[in-house]
Amino acid sequence: MVPGTPFDSARVEALLEARGAKAQPSGGRSWLLAHGSVEFHPLREGGQWIATEVRVPLLDREDLVREVVSKAAELAKEAEVRLVDPQLGRELSAHDEGAVADQYQRTARYAAEMAGVASAMPISTTESEGFQPTTKVVFGALAVFTLLYLLVNWINEQLGG
C-alpha cells in the first residue's frame, strides 16, 4: 500500500475470481453484486498494469455505488492495495460511500442534462425550461418563411401586381 510499489494485479484478479467475478472476452471482469453489475479492467500506463479500474454504469442507482465502495474497500484491504477515487482525488475506505455516492449523482445528473445520456438519470418532466433546441429551430424557420412570404406579397402589391 506504499505509493510507488509495483501493483500486484495477480492478487487482485484472484480475489475478484474468488468473489465470483467473471472474465469478459474483451478483458477485465464483471462482478454481479446485490444492486447491479460492475466491471473491473486493467489500467495500463506505458504498457504496464498499474491499477485496476472499477467501472460503474451511469444509472440513477446510488445503492449500487454505495455497495461498490464497500465491497471494493474490502477487496483493496485484503489485496493490500489502495482504493482511490480520481474524481475526489483521494484514497477511500468503506466509510466514504456517501461522498462517492454524492459525486456519482452529480456526474449522472451532468451526463443526463449536458451530454444527453438518457439512462444516466431520469430528467424531470414536470419542470419546463422552455422549448427543446429542435423546436426552436423549427419555429425560427417558420418565422423566417412567414416574414419572407409577407415581404414578397407587400412588394408585389407595391409594384401593382
Side-chain angles (χ1 to χ4, degrees):
M1 289 183 44
V2 178
T5 58
F7 178 66
D8 189 0
S9 60
R11 186 176 185 131
V12 172
E13 285 287 297
L15 289 169
L16 283 168
E17 187 174 338
R19 285 169 167 74
K22 306 289 182 208
Q24 296 179 320
S26 61
R29 294 189 171 273
S30 178
W31 189 9
L32 182 60
L33 300 173
H35 293 101
S37 182
V38 294
E39 294 181 3
F40 291 79
H41 291 273
L43 184 61
R44 298 184 190 280
E45 187 175 282
Q48 185 172 341
W49 189 343
I50 62 163
T52 298
E53 177 183 28
V54 182
R55 296 180 186 174
V56 180
L58 202 55
L59 302 169
D60 184 20
R61 301 283 308 272
E62 185 176 322
D63 50 353
L64 175 59
V65 174
R66 289 178 180 276
E67 182 181 17
V68 167
V69 171
S70 174
K71 298 285 186 184
E74 285 176 20
L75 184 108
K77 185 176 181 179
E78 192 174 333
E80 298 178 354
V81 296
R82 297 180 318 139
L83 176 63
V84 177
D85 184 328
Q87 287 188 323
L88 294 176
R90 63 183 168 102
E91 190 171 337
L92 301 177
S93 71
H95 303 291
D96 292 316
E97 63 185 34
V100 175
D102 291 344
Q103 179 61 38
Y104 179 85
Q105 290 294 341
R106 285 190 293 274
T107 302
R109 201 169 5 270
Y110 178 82
E113 293 172 3
M114 300 302 196
V117 179
S119 64
M121 176 148 320
I123 298 175
S124 174
T125 55
T126 58
E127 295 180 23
S128 177
E129 295 182 16
F131 294 113
Q132 296 294 323
T134 53
T135 306
K136 289 179 183 178
V137 169
V138 169
F139 281 142
L142 285 173
V144 167
F145 286 123
T146 301
L147 286 173
L148 283 174
Y149 174 77
L150 293 173
L151 181 64
V152 168
N153 275 345
W154 180 76
I155 291 173
N156 195 23
E157 286 178 9
Q158 295 301 318
L159 296 175

